[in-house]
Amino acid sequence: MRLKVDHFDIAQIAESGECFRWRKIDDCEYVGVIGNSVCRVKQCDNMVEFDGISETEFRRYFDLERDYSEIQKYYEKDNVLAEAMWCGNGIRILNQDKFETLISFIISANNNIPRIKKSVEALSKGFGKHIEDEFYAFPTPGELARASLDELKACGLGYRNQYVYKTCREIAAGKDLGQIAKLPTELCRKELLKFTGIGPKVADCIMLFSMQKYDAFPVDVWIKRIMESLYFGEERSLNEIARYAKEKFGEYAGIAQQYLFFYVREKELK
DNA sequence: TGCCAGGGCGCCG
DNA sequence: CGGCGCCATGGC
């Protein structure tokens, strides 16, 4: 399947830290697992070629119905964001599976992205369904609930094994993420915070990357640093940063956050 | 070799 | 509420 796309850069998306299952083939080609499918994406400028999933699913997953130029216009008068948006012009907020995103971001706590990726792959290989070759679907709640504490630790989860162990059992027992996702942002957040291993930052990531809560503004160490450096000029508490950002950036604060996250890490890299 | 990582939990004031 | 020590492990 071939599509013309705008504000879309598969490399930026795959490296943006919102997803952990995409693997680089070369500079313009990536392979990832979406649900029970393996999807290959090759991009040359504005043209993408993909297989493995339907066009409808592709458009849904990559948020293609949203006009990102409109969002960028909304933020263009902010000099910091203007530069960040120029840097990560092809970033999009993915529409990922709720359970996979929830578990992945529990694992992300006090962790680094390469290791998070390894852990998510290990969980998939150990407890998910085989798709093809070396690709495995992320386990369902029931499948993951079969893993023992030691098996989870063996997937590289470290002390987070207990968080995953407890939380996936609650969800396998009937807690409905679909219902939680229907709640308005603040109530949704409150429900997510009841799970073990989910604090403010992780809850915001789950809402932003799998529940279409674009006003959620996750504050991690990178966002804290760039906000303190470019907006405050001094140290601020996590709560204060989140409050300020949601006020300043409004209903798409989460998208602004993702531009900032990509930008600060891109600068760090060179 | 140490420092750090898309933080959360438990406890304390 | 806000601050603090602790937590496993591997990437760099």
Side-chain angles (χ1 to χ4, degrees):
Chain A
M1 194 87 61
R2 275 169 76 83
L3 276 182
K4 185 173 181 299
V5 289
D6 206 14
H7 295 284
F8 181 104
D9 186 318
I10 187 59
Q12 289 181 356
I13 293 168
E15 311 288 351
S16 71
E18 60 173 312
C19 50
F20 304 104
R21 302 221 65 196
W22 288 88
R23 190 186 312 169
K24 182 176 182 174
I25 304 298
D26 58 48
D27 284 338
C28 65
E29 185 171 4
Y30 281 77
V31 184
V33 175
I34 302 175
N36 293 316
S37 306
V38 177
C39 181
R40 293 167 198 280
V41 178
K42 188 167 184 172
Q43 176 171 19
C44 299
D45 299 322
N46 279 13
M47 293 303 296
V48 286
E49 217 177 308
F50 66 94
D51 61 17
I53 61 174
S54 69
E55 179 179 341
T56 303
E57 175 63 6
F58 186 87
R59 301 182 80 90
R60 191 192 64 81
Y61 180 84
F62 284 107
D63 198 28
L64 287 186
E65 308 308 327
R66 191 176 311 281
D67 184 359
Y68 278 68
S69 64
E70 193 120 327
I71 292 167
Q72 293 201 7
K73 196 190 295 181
Y74 181 65
Y75 290 129
E76 71 186 353
K77 57 185 187 299
D78 182 302
N79 290 333
V80 176
L81 268 183
E83 189 171 342
M85 293 188 297
W86 175 81
C87 171
N89 183 52
I91 284 174
R92 281 174 175 270
I93 302 297
L94 299 177
N95 194 339
Q96 303 182 74
D97 176 77
K98 298 174 189 61
F99 179 65
E100 175 174 348
T101 305
L102 184 148
I103 298 297
S104 298
F105 277 94
I106 286 178
I107 295 169
S108 79
N110 194 24
N111 209 337
N112 57 67
I113 292 178
R115 194 155 82 101
I116 299 165
K117 285 185 177 177
K118 277 194 168 181
S119 292
V120 172
E121 287 303 325
L123 289 181
S124 301
K125 182 166 185 177
F127 305 98
K129 293 185 190 69
H130 179 59
I131 305 174
E132 61 185 47
D133 304 326
E134 71 272 35
F135 298 102
Y136 294 80
F138 190 82
T140 64
E143 287 168 347
L144 194 55
R146 277 190 233 123
S148 70
L149 273 171
D150 283 339
E151 286 174 320
L152 291 174
K153 187 175 268 191
C155 290
L157 302 202
Y159 62 86
R160 308 166 195 84
N161 64 344
Q162 307 201 39
Y163 303 156
V164 171
Y165 186 87
K166 288 184 186 170
T167 293
C168 83
R169 269 167 182 69
E170 282 184 53
I171 297 170
K175 270 252 182 183
D176 188 353
L177 297 180
Q179 287 303 117
I180 293 176
K182 288 178 185 168
L183 298 169
T185 304
E186 279 316 306
L187 285 177
C188 180
R189 192 172 199 258
K190 201 173 152 194
E191 286 304 308
L192 288 173
L193 289 175
K194 291 178 181 173
F195 289 110
T196 317
I198 299 183
K201 189 271 175 182
V202 169
D204 287 338
C205 284
I206 296 165
M207 291 196 292
L208 180 59
F209 302 135
S210 74
M211 295 178 171
Q212 300 86 48
K213 309 295 188 196
Y214 299 100
D215 54 334
F217 191 90
V219 182
D220 69 343
V221 292
W222 297 94
I223 290 296
K224 184 175 189 297
R225 281 202 285 262
I226 192 173
M227 292 291 291
E228 287 171 343
S229 154
L230 299 181
Y231 287 97
F232 296 113
E234 57 183 354
E235 271 196 51
R236 287 285 199 276
S237 74
L238 296 175
N239 269 337
E240 208 168 338
I241 294 171
R243 248 183 287 129
Y244 175 86
K246 291 191 73 157
E247 171 78 18
K248 183 177 183 61
F249 300 137
E251 66 173 315
Y252 296 115
I255 300 181
Q257 181 272 166
Q258 200 59 7
Y259 284 127
L260 290 172
F261 181 78
F262 183 80
Y263 176 59
V264 65
R265 298 187 86 249
E266 199 70 9
K267 282 208 310 185
E268 184 79 7
L269 217 62
K270 54 173 200 169

